[in-house]
């Protein structure tokens, strides 16, 4: 198993541009999450999903959108990028709420 | 919502000494408390977790204690080694079977083990 795979690893965006951060997992996990990690800070939950077709907002959803059309994929969409969205983004998955999270390697995004 | 505070933000210890990191949480309904280790430029990795029906859990040199009354939990690392140097995050969540856990993370502790 590859686990949780995130692409791209790095990206620089100009203010106002849009992009999609990709996340895919091959472990057949129902639960998937997107976190952002600002420098020197802990992770904050952006969106999560409990299964295909179901998504919900986390602590910091503004400026982001997600979709979950399949169990494997959970892309995160940034519309109208702002400097405040400069961060490292981690996708994670788990088979059940009581199991540990499996994190991807992260996407480092800079908005200038 | 839940609020997790973590102290200290930086911690330096001599190799072989013990390290203790403390976290407090605000939501008395939280029932799951994991600890993650994150090396520079890497993803967080779970090192130990504890649930609210247990007061202490050990795994070799790592232990976690939980005081539900005071709403705080701590990570203890004994016989520290240079490879223990990393950022450690605590987290807390409430939840039950069938509902997603929304982890709230502390702000992290940079642990440096000096040889």
């Amino acid at each position: 198993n590859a686990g949780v795979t995130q692409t791209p690893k790095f990206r620089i965006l100009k203010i106002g541009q849009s992009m999609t951060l990709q996340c895919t997992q091959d472990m057949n996990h129902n639960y998937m999450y997107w976190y952002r990690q600002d420098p020197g800070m802990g992770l904050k939950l952006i969106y999560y999903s409990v299964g295909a077709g179901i998504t919900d907002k986390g602590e910091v959803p503004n400026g982001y959108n997600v979709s979950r059309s399949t169990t494997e994929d959970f892309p995160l969409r940034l519309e109208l990028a702002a400097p405040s969205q400069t961060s490292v983004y981690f996708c994670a998955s788990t088979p059940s709420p009581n199991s540990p999270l499996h994190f991807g390697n992260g996407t480092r995004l800079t908005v200038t | 919502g839940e609020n997790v505070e973590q102290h200290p933000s930086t911690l330096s210890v001599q190799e072989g000494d013990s390290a203790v990191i403390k976290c407090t949480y605000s939501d008395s309904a939280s029932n799951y408390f994991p600890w993650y280790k994150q090396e520079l430029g890497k993803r967080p990795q779970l090192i130990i977790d504890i649930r609210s029906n247990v007061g202490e859990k050990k795994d070799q040199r790592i232990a976690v204690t939980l005081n539900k009354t005071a709403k705080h939990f701590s990570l203890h690392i004994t016989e520290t080694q240079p490879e223990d140097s990393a950022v450690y995050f605590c987290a807390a969540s409430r939840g039950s079977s069938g509902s997603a856990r929304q982890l709230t993370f502390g702000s992290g502790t940079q642990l440096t083990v000096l040889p």
Side-chain angles (χ1 to χ4, degrees):
Chain A
N1 289 347
V4 179
T5 302
Q6 291 183 240
T7 57
K9 292 183 179 179
F10 305 94
R11 184 72 186 267
I12 299 174
L13 279 182
K14 294 190 187 303
I15 295 171
Q17 287 185 322
S18 300
M19 77 163 293
T20 299
L21 283 67
Q22 301 291 346
C23 175
T24 187
Q25 51 91 10
D26 61 357
M27 299 172 284
N28 202 34
H29 289 173
N30 282 325
Y31 298 83
M32 296 189 74
Y33 303 81
W34 273 106
Y35 288 90
R36 60 176 285 172
Q37 183 178 30
D38 297 331
M41 300 295 290
L43 286 78
K44 293 190 183 296
L45 183 64
I46 306 171
Y47 270 95
Y48 64 97
S49 169
V50 301
I54 306 169
T55 63
D56 213 341
K57 295 178 180 179
E59 183 183 355
V60 290
N62 291 344
Y64 306 95
N65 274 301
V66 293
S67 60
R68 186 91 183 272
S69 57
T70 67
T71 299
E72 294 78 20
D73 300 308
F74 190 39
L76 177 71
R77 178 84 178 159
L78 278 72
E79 304 281 2
L80 298 175
S84 60
Q85 293 178 305
T86 294
S87 191
V88 179
Y89 292 83
F90 287 100
C91 179
S93 73
T94 183
S96 77
N98 291 319
S99 298
L101 292 177
H102 297 252
F103 282 93
N105 286 325
T107 294
R108 184 174 297 275
L109 176 68
T110 302
V111 182
T112 62
Chain B
E2 175 68 277
N3 183 49
V4 176
E5 295 195 358
Q6 182 172 346
H7 300 281
S9 57
T10 61
L11 178 61
S12 293
V13 299
Q14 290 294 135
E15 183 177 356
D17 287 351
S18 296
V20 180
I21 303 170
K22 299 181 179 180
C23 289
T24 60
Y25 61 98
S26 61
D27 186 352
S28 56
S30 288
N31 56 12
Y32 176 63
F33 308 91
W35 286 89
Y36 287 85
K37 176 182 180 182
Q38 187 177 30
E39 297 174 355
L40 189 62
K42 301 284 183 66
R43 60 186 159 183
Q45 294 201 302
L46 180 75
I47 55 172
I48 195 166
D49 58 10
I50 192 168
R51 299 180 195 279
S52 59
N53 58 347
V54 175
E56 183 175 358
K57 184 176 179 181
K58 275 189 87 171
D59 182 4
Q60 299 182 356
R61 296 187 296 109
I62 294 174
V64 58
T65 58
L66 171 65
N67 183 327
K68 286 188 293 182
T69 303
K71 290 191 282 188
H72 67 71
F73 56 112
S74 300
L75 177 71
H76 304 253
I77 305 175
T78 59
E79 300 172 20
T80 53
Q81 301 166 2
E83 52 265 38
D84 293 330
S85 295
V87 178
Y88 291 80
F89 292 98
C90 63
S93 77
R94 56 157 72 188
S96 58
S97 296
S99 64
R101 285 195 179 277
Q102 297 187 47
L103 285 174
T104 300
F105 284 80
S107 56
T109 296
Q110 172 69 62
L111 174 65
T112 303
V113 179
L114 305 168

